[in-house]
Amino acid sequence: MKKNKKPMEHFNIAEFNRGQGSKIIRHTSEDDSVAFIQKNGKPLAILISNERYERLLAGGIDINDF
């Protein structure tokens, strides 16, 4: 059985500039999710929960190597 993947959320950098950064980070952390941060509709950065990052490391994937 294949696990249903939840689509990655998208947030505009303007939301961070309006003081919503803490809320977005908390939401991503609590949901153990990943989100695109965009500027002018283009991906700027990826926000990933620490739990997900730790699972990647445990699985032998270190994103710092890329």
Side-chain angles (χ1 to χ4, degrees), residues 1 4 8-9 12 17-19 21-23 27-28 31 33 37 39-40 44-47 49 57 59 61 64:
M1 182 178 211
N4 287 339
M8 200 179 303
E9 290 190 72
N12 194 296
N17 295 337
R18 288 192 303 261
S22 178
K23 178 179 154 187
H27 169 74
T28 302
D31 286 358
S33 61
I37 308 301
K39 181 176 182 178
N40 299 324
L44 180 66
I46 300 292
L47 179 62
S49 70
L57 287 176
I61 299 170
N64 293 305

Side-chain angles (χ1 to χ4, degrees), residues 12-53:
N12 194 296
I13 192 69
E15 294 177 69
F16 281 82
N17 295 337
R18 288 192 303 261
Q20 297 297 308
S22 178
K23 178 179 154 187
I24 293 168
I25 292 168
R26 189 173 44 256
H27 169 74
T28 302
S29 176
E30 289 171 355
D31 286 358
D32 188 24
S33 61
V34 179
F36 276 115
I37 308 301
Q38 298 179 322
K39 181 176 182 178
N40 299 324
K42 295 180 182 175
L44 180 66
I46 300 292
L47 179 62
I48 183 171
S49 70
N50 186 64
E51 290 81 10
R52 190 171 291 241
Y53 177 69

